[in-house]
Structure formats: C-alpha cells, structure tokens
Amino acid sequence: MSALLDHLPEFWQGLVVTLQMTAASFVGAAVVGLVIVAMRVGPVPVLRAVATVYVETLQNLPLLVLLVLAVFGLPEIGLKAGLTTTAIVVIALYEGAYIAEALRSGVNAISAGQGEAARALGLTFGQSLRHVVLPQALRTVVQPIGNIFIALTMNTSLAAAVGVVELTAAANRVNLLEAQPIPIFVGAGLAYAAIAACAGFVTGRLERRLAVAR
C-alpha cells in the first residue's frame, strides 16, 4: 500500500493520460463509425465494398500489431507524430470499425418503411439517414456502444507497449522502483474497473431513458 501512496502523482498523471486517450479515441471512433456505416448502408456499391473491407480487416487484426506498425513503421516512410497522438489515431480507427458494426445493427433494426416514408417526403439519402434512420438506430445501440467504450478504455493500456506513459505504463515504472507488483497493479486494475463501472452506469441510465417502446 505504501508503494501506491508514495507514488500517487505518477499514478494520477498516468490516469489523466488514460482518460485523455479514452475520450479523444472514442470521439474519433464515433466519427469513423458514422462515416463507415453511412458507406455500408448507402446506395453506392463501391463505397459499400470499401467500408466492408475496412470493417472486416480491422476486426481481424490485433490492435497491438497496428500500434507497433504505426509507431515504428510510419516514421520509416516519413509520417511522424507524437506517441500519444499516434496511439489515439490508431485506437480510433480500430474501434471505429466496431462502432460502425454496432450502428449498422441498429440501422438494420429500423423498419424499411421508415426510409421509404422519408424518400416519399422528398428527403435525400443523406437527409433520411441523418434525420430519420440514425437517431432511431442510436437509441437501440446505447448499450453495445457503451460496451465498446469500455473495451476501448481497456485497450488504451496497449499503448504502454509502444512507449506511451499512461496508467499501465506508470504502474510498471513504479513497480520497477518498488518491486511490489500485487498492490501496484491491483491499484491500477481498480482504477480501470472504476472507469468501466462509471461507463456502465451512464450507459445503463441512457438506455433506460432512450428505450424505444415496443
């Protein structure tokens, strides 16, 4: 326990980086997911194919491989950015594929008559998607997106493997000094659990509030 108390500033700084990465990555993933799902359910075959390949590829590659490739491979071709920025972009692109699939399941749950009614009113595909389909789809996938948020939070710990000093990396550094792995990593684990519990509570409340009457 003393190891945790003596190094609270290091743990706090690592937790702040984790929260910043989580927030930025989730916003980026949400934008990517919206774009990809619009392509997948759109009327243009080429865009549907590109979006499908994107989702299938990202969902079948380990995130750690993508992080290592981006951090150590991209500089070799002249693409350089900070470690944290690179990790955020990679995680956002990766989790965006999962958000796209969650949204697509929500879109598929909407009656086809909704889209037909929107077109009958003269709305374009984009207007129909934005004003009619997606708002209803989002209400049906609050919990799945909440689960993706929690998974994304846990996945930020993989950034430690490429040099980002977030919570897991901070815990590892403290352990190298104190050699007390059980209290140190249990403390870090409890911090992740607290974030997940808060996310689960918020999404549960949102799901009940936005529930669609059947």
Side-chain angles (χ1 to χ4, degrees):
M1 184 62 69
S2 62
L4 288 174
L5 298 178
D6 292 342
H7 295 277
L8 278 180
E10 291 95 323
F11 278 103
W12 175 251
Q13 184 58 41
L15 179 60
V16 168
V17 173
T18 290
L19 293 174
Q20 290 173 337
M21 289 181 62
T22 298
S25 297
F26 184 74
V27 171
V31 172
V32 171
L34 285 170
V35 172
I36 294 299
V37 79
M39 293 168 63
R40 289 205 74 177
V41 302
V44 183
V46 173
L47 294 181
R48 288 203 303 270
V50 170
T52 300
V53 169
Y54 179 88
V55 170
E56 294 297 329
T57 301
L58 270 293
Q59 287 189 335
N60 288 285
L61 285 175
L63 176 56
L64 184 56
V65 170
L66 297 175
L67 284 168
V68 171
L69 180 63
V71 170
F72 300 108
L74 292 183
E76 296 294 325
I77 58 174
L79 298 176
K80 297 181 180 180
L83 287 177
T84 303
T85 301
T86 301
I88 288 172
V89 171
V90 171
I91 293 171
L93 292 173
Y94 181 81
E95 298 293 345
Y98 290 89
I99 289 183
E101 281 299 276
L103 289 173
R104 190 168 72 94
S105 70
V107 170
N108 290 338
I110 304 302
S111 169
Q114 298 282 342
E116 293 171 359
R119 288 192 293 275
L121 291 173
L123 297 182
T124 65
F125 170 76
Q127 291 172 329
S128 173
L129 195 64
R130 184 167 68 253
H131 297 299
V132 178
V133 178
L134 280 180
Q136 297 182 73
L138 284 169
R139 295 176 66 173
T140 67
V141 296
V142 171
Q143 194 60 56
I145 289 179
N147 292 338
I148 293 171
F149 177 85
I150 292 172
L152 184 153
T153 303
M154 305 307 159
N155 282 339
T156 60
S157 64
L158 293 175
V162 293
V164 178
V165 186
E166 42 65 74
L167 182 57
T168 298
N172 190 51
R173 289 187 174 189
V174 171
N175 183 55
L176 291 175
L177 293 174
E178 300 291 344
Q180 297 183 40
I182 293 178
I184 289 171
F185 285 105
V186 166
L190 290 174
Y192 283 112
I195 297 172
C198 290
F201 174 78
V202 171
T203 53
R205 291 291 297 271
L206 280 174
E207 185 180 37
R208 288 191 293 273
R209 185 170 182 176
L210 300 176
V212 179
R214 300 293 182 183

